[in-house]
Amino acid sequence: METQNQLAETKIPQELLQFSCLPDEIIIEILLRLPVKSLLKFRCVSKSWLSLLSTPYFINTQIKFSVKKSKNVNLRLVIVASVSGLMGKMCSVYSLDYENSSVNVDKIDYPLKTPFRSAKFLGSCNGLICLTPMSFKLMIWNPVTGKHKEFQDSFVQCAVNCYIRYGFGYDHVNDDYKMVKIFSFPRNEGKYENKVKIYSLKDDSWKMGEGFGSGYVNAQTGMCLNGYLHWEVNHCHDSGGGGGSGACSEIMTLDLAMETYGVMALPSCGNGSTSWSLSVLNGCLVACCNYEPDRTDMWVMKEYGVEESWTKLVSNLTAPPGRLGYVSPLSVSENGGEVLVRLGTNISLYNARNASHESLDIHSLGYCLQVQAITYNESLASPNVGDT
């Protein structure tokens, strides 16, 4: 009933109605399927078009549709390539469209026209990307609309060094985007005391969150899915026999609405030296088990929150010949046959059937110091509260 009332308040422009005998609901469905860049152009047609495409109902519906669409249709990435030049360390920003084994790369406008330091990605949600473009500043950016918001970073007073971890996501209960910053202080026997600060985009302010104790929070940025942030946490423990020590890992979650913590189990892997990394691909939580020295298995949680639904998607994903290190998956086909991966400054398409890599010419900038990549879906989401 609520949706019907909202739709009734959404007026279809007369310019469109005179060319169509379709019901309003169908017109909305058609518009939702158009690229965001087309919708931005349509806003310039008339005041009535601008009014329709700027209503909170249409924007929120478009965001939900884009998130649902990204699970099974196409994927976009923002890539930052840092290079060394006469004026120091600079970066260029690219957009990559990957669909059905086809890759298109375009250079895109970055809000800061002359970034002398490489931007660091801190998270992505609903088409918005959170990053730090410079010291003591954070930014939320929609790479499609170009809109962005800068805000001051926040810190805690401490007498010793600490590790910093971030997370960015959407609180659907309070209709708010939140940035989470974890200050992790080492304690005895592999344990850490964590202080937490939370930034609310709606309130445009930081506050202290509930602290917690944990093992080592391995992931520098939390992965956002279904209103939760996820970090991989490593716990050291005595392996028994009074001798050596061992380690186990689990997923720590943060409910962005309730701002409470929880844990989830990782898949069971074989013995040996391993480490874990998390990502979100095709709307599912993915855990990569990295075996020493350079082999990775990809697991997908097919039903969110159900630990028994962990399923191995790709086995023995390895780096290209002559390259060392683990690969970071960026996208994977539905059957796991092809995986778009990043290894150092290289981005390639991995064929799981014959274990081959096809290197993609992304930046063409010669020697790169660093390449970062983060996925996003195109949406009308704005980082500026009340902005349409």
Side-chain angles (χ1 to χ4, degrees), residues 232-251:
E232 181 265 315
V233 177
N234 182 273
H235 298 275
C236 294
H237 64 276
D238 193 330
S239 60
S245 62
C248 64
S249 297
E250 64 183 2
I251 299 172

PDB file of all heavy atoms in Angstrom, residues 232-251:
ATOM      1  N   GLU A 232      37.734  -9.758   8.427  1.00  0.00           N
ATOM      2  CA  GLU A 232      38.349 -11.034   8.824  1.00  0.00           C
ATOM      3  C   GLU A 232      39.243 -10.775  10.018  1.00  0.00           C
ATOM      4  O   GLU A 232      40.066  -9.848  10.016  1.00  0.00           O
ATOM      5  CB  GLU A 232      39.146 -11.609   7.650  1.00  0.00           C
ATOM      6  CG  GLU A 232      39.802 -12.952   7.944  1.00  0.00           C
ATOM      7  CD  GLU A 232      41.239 -12.793   8.395  1.00  0.00           C
ATOM      8  OE1 GLU A 232      41.980 -12.022   7.775  1.00  0.00           O
ATOM      9  OE2 GLU A 232      41.608 -13.461   9.380  1.00  0.00           O
ATOM     10  N   VAL A 233      39.076 -11.579  11.071  1.00  0.00           N
ATOM     11  CA  VAL A 233      39.821 -11.415  12.317  1.00  0.00           C
ATOM     12  C   VAL A 233      40.612 -12.684  12.594  1.00  0.00           C
ATOM     13  O   VAL A 233      40.085 -13.799  12.490  1.00  0.00           O
ATOM     14  CB  VAL A 233      38.876 -11.109  13.503  1.00  0.00           C
ATOM     15  CG1 VAL A 233      39.672 -11.014  14.801  1.00  0.00           C
ATOM     16  CG2 VAL A 233      38.115  -9.821  13.248  1.00  0.00           C
ATOM     17  N   ASN A 234      41.877 -12.496  12.935  1.00  0.00           N
ATOM     18  CA  ASN A 234      42.765 -13.620  13.221  1.00  0.00           C
ATOM     19  C   ASN A 234      43.015 -13.714  14.719  1.00  0.00           C
ATOM     20  O   ASN A 234      43.375 -12.731  15.361  1.00  0.00           O
ATOM     21  CB  ASN A 234      44.100 -13.431  12.476  1.00  0.00           C
ATOM     22  CG  ASN A 234      45.055 -14.576  12.687  1.00  0.00           C
ATOM     23  OD1 ASN A 234      45.813 -14.584  13.636  1.00  0.00           O
ATOM     24  ND2 ASN A 234      45.025 -15.540  11.782  1.00  0.00           N
ATOM     25  N   HIS A 235      42.826 -14.922  15.282  1.00  0.00           N
ATOM     26  CA  HIS A 235      43.051 -15.164  16.701  1.00  0.00           C
ATOM     27  C   HIS A 235      44.247 -16.095  16.878  1.00  0.00           C
ATOM     28  O   HIS A 235      44.301 -17.161  16.248  1.00  0.00           O
ATOM     29  CB  HIS A 235      41.826 -15.816  17.349  1.00  0.00           C
ATOM     30  CG  HIS A 235      40.601 -14.958  17.301  1.00  0.00           C
ATOM     31  ND1 HIS A 235      40.310 -13.986  18.236  1.00  0.00           N
ATOM     32  CD2 HIS A 235      39.573 -14.917  16.406  1.00  0.00           C
ATOM     33  CE1 HIS A 235      39.178 -13.394  17.941  1.00  0.00           C
ATOM     34  NE2 HIS A 235      38.711 -13.932  16.833  1.00  0.00           N
ATOM     35  N   CYS A 236      45.176 -15.715  17.703  1.00  0.00           N
ATOM     36  CA  CYS A 236      46.290 -16.595  18.055  1.00  0.00           C
ATOM     37  C   CYS A 236      45.894 -17.424  19.261  1.00  0.00           C
ATOM     38  O   CYS A 236      45.189 -16.951  20.153  1.00  0.00           O
ATOM     39  CB  CYS A 236      47.545 -15.779  18.382  1.00  0.00           C
ATOM     40  SG  CYS A 236      48.219 -14.882  16.982  1.00  0.00           S
ATOM     41  N   HIS A 237      46.350 -18.661  19.299  1.00  0.00           N
ATOM     42  CA  HIS A 237      46.036 -19.529  20.422  1.00  0.00           C
ATOM     43  C   HIS A 237      47.141 -20.567  20.606  1.00  0.00           C
ATOM     44  O   HIS A 237      47.899 -20.841  19.682  1.00  0.00           O
ATOM     45  CB  HIS A 237      44.690 -20.236  20.218  1.00  0.00           C
ATOM     46  CG  HIS A 237      44.690 -21.162  19.036  1.00  0.00           C
ATOM     47  ND1 HIS A 237      44.451 -20.704  17.756  1.00  0.00           N
ATOM     48  CD2 HIS A 237      44.913 -22.495  18.923  1.00  0.00           C
ATOM     49  CE1 HIS A 237      44.502 -21.717  16.912  1.00  0.00           C
ATOM     50  NE2 HIS A 237      44.795 -22.814  17.593  1.00  0.00           N
ATOM     51  N   ASP A 238      47.182 -21.152  21.766  1.00  0.00           N
ATOM     52  CA  ASP A 238      48.144 -22.223  22.047  1.00  0.00           C
ATOM     53  C   ASP A 238      47.683 -23.479  21.340  1.00  0.00           C
ATOM     54  O   ASP A 238      46.553 -23.929  21.516  1.00  0.00           O
ATOM     55  CB  ASP A 238      48.218 -22.468  23.554  1.00  0.00           C
ATOM     56  CG  ASP A 238      49.411 -23.343  23.931  1.00  0.00           C
ATOM     57  OD1 ASP A 238      49.803 -24.175  23.094  1.00  0.00           O
ATOM     58  OD2 ASP A 238      49.915 -23.188  25.049  1.00  0.00           O
ATOM     59  N   SER A 239      48.545 -24.056  20.538  1.00  0.00           N
ATOM     60  CA  SER A 239      48.177 -25.220  19.738  1.00  0.00           C
ATOM     61  C   SER A 239      48.194 -26.512  20.542  1.00  0.00           C
ATOM     62  O   SER A 239      47.882 -27.573  20.009  1.00  0.00           O
ATOM     63  CB  SER A 239      49.130 -25.353  18.537  1.00  0.00           C
ATOM     64  OG  SER A 239      50.448 -25.508  19.004  1.00  0.00           O
ATOM     65  N   GLY A 240      48.552 -26.426  21.818  1.00  0.00           N
ATOM     66  CA  GLY A 240      48.549 -27.636  22.641  1.00  0.00           C
ATOM     67  C   GLY A 240      49.933 -28.226  22.743  1.00  0.00           C
ATOM     68  O   GLY A 240      50.823 -27.967  21.931  1.00  0.00           O
ATOM     69  N   GLY A 241      50.143 -29.051  23.753  1.00  0.00           N
ATOM     70  CA  GLY A 241      51.432 -29.705  23.930  1.00  0.00           C
ATOM     71  C   GLY A 241      52.471 -28.818  24.569  1.00  0.00           C
ATOM     72  O   GLY A 241      53.635 -29.177  24.693  1.00  0.00           O
ATOM     73  N   GLY A 242      52.023 -27.584  24.952  1.00  0.00           N
ATOM     74  CA  GLY A 242      52.943 -26.679  25.634  1.00  0.00           C
ATOM     75  C   GLY A 242      54.004 -26.101  24.732  1.00  0.00           C
ATOM     76  O   GLY A 242      54.945 -25.466  25.200  1.00  0.00           O
ATOM     77  N   GLY A 243      53.864 -26.285  23.415  1.00  0.00           N
ATOM     78  CA  GLY A 243      54.913 -25.819  22.513  1.00  0.00           C
ATOM     79  C   GLY A 243      54.519 -24.587  21.736  1.00  0.00           C
ATOM     80  O   GLY A 243      54.404 -23.495  22.258  1.00  0.00           O
ATOM     81  N   GLY A 244      54.246 -24.801  20.462  1.00  0.00           N
ATOM     82  CA  GLY A 244      54.043 -23.675  19.571  1.00  0.00           C
ATOM     83  C   GLY A 244      52.682 -23.034  19.713  1.00  0.00           C
ATOM     84  O   GLY A 244      51.875 -23.374  20.559  1.00  0.00           O
ATOM     85  N   SER A 245      52.464 -22.092  18.851  1.00  0.00           N
ATOM     86  CA  SER A 245      51.187 -21.392  18.823  1.00  0.00           C
ATOM     87  C   SER A 245      50.540 -21.597  17.476  1.00  0.00           C
ATOM     88  O   SER A 245      51.192 -21.868  16.485  1.00  0.00           O
ATOM     89  CB  SER A 245      51.392 -19.893  19.088  1.00  0.00           C
ATOM     90  OG  SER A 245      52.206 -19.326  18.077  1.00  0.00           O
ATOM     91  N   GLY A 246      49.239 -21.441  17.442  1.00  0.00           N
ATOM     92  CA  GLY A 246      48.502 -21.585  16.204  1.00  0.00           C
ATOM     93  C   GLY A 246      47.623 -20.374  15.991  1.00  0.00           C
ATOM     94  O   GLY A 246      47.672 -19.404  16.740  1.00  0.00           O
ATOM     95  N   ALA A 247      46.804 -20.394  14.974  1.00  0.00           N
ATOM     96  CA  ALA A 247      45.925 -19.266  14.695  1.00  0.00           C
ATOM     97  C   ALA A 247      44.656 -19.774  14.036  1.00  0.00           C
ATOM     98  O   ALA A 247      44.672 -20.783  13.331  1.00  0.00           O
ATOM     99  CB  ALA A 247      46.631 -18.259  13.789  1.00  0.00           C
ATOM    100  N   CYS A 248      43.571 -19.084  14.308  1.00  0.00           N
ATOM    101  CA  CYS A 248      42.315 -19.378  13.633  1.00  0.00           C
ATOM    102  C   CYS A 248      41.686 -18.061  13.240  1.00  0.00           C
ATOM    103  O   CYS A 248      41.988 -17.013  13.811  1.00  0.00           O
ATOM    104  CB  CYS A 248      41.387 -20.204  14.529  1.00  0.00           C
ATOM    105  SG  CYS A 248      40.853 -19.334  16.016  1.00  0.00           S
ATOM    106  N   SER A 249      40.826 -18.100  12.253  1.00  0.00           N
ATOM    107  CA  SER A 249      40.208 -16.880  11.739  1.00  0.00           C
ATOM    108  C   SER A 249      38.697 -17.019  11.742  1.00  0.00           C
ATOM    109  O   SER A 249      38.157 -18.122  11.652  1.00  0.00           O
ATOM    110  CB  SER A 249      40.700 -16.599  10.316  1.00  0.00           C
ATOM    111  OG  SER A 249      42.089 -16.372  10.285  1.00  0.00           O
ATOM    112  N   GLU A 250      38.034 -15.877  11.837  1.00  0.00           N
ATOM    113  CA  GLU A 250      36.586 -15.810  11.746  1.00  0.00           C
ATOM    114  C   GLU A 250      36.203 -14.455  11.174  1.00  0.00           C
ATOM    115  O   GLU A 250      37.051 -13.571  10.994  1.00  0.00           O
ATOM    116  CB  GLU A 250      35.936 -16.031  13.115  1.00  0.00           C
ATOM    117  CG  GLU A 250      36.267 -14.944  14.127  1.00  0.00           C
ATOM    118  CD  GLU A 250      35.671 -15.223  15.497  1.00  0.00           C
ATOM    119  OE1 GLU A 250      35.038 -16.291  15.664  1.00  0.00           O
ATOM    120  OE2 GLU A 250      35.842 -14.382  16.407  1.00  0.00           O
ATOM    121  N   ILE A 251      34.929 -14.271  10.889  1.00  0.00           N
ATOM    122  CA  ILE A 251      34.433 -13.010  10.352  1.00  0.00           C
ATOM    123  C   ILE A 251      33.757 -12.236  11.478  1.00  0.00           C
ATOM    124  O   ILE A 251      32.868 -12.762  12.152  1.00  0.00           O
ATOM    125  CB  ILE A 251      33.442 -13.239   9.197  1.00  0.00           C
ATOM    126  CG1 ILE A 251      34.124 -13.986   8.050  1.00  0.00           C
ATOM    127  CG2 ILE A 251      32.875 -11.911   8.702  1.00  0.00           C
ATOM    128  CD1 ILE A 251      33.172 -14.411   6.949  1.00  0.00           C
TER     129      ILE A 251
END
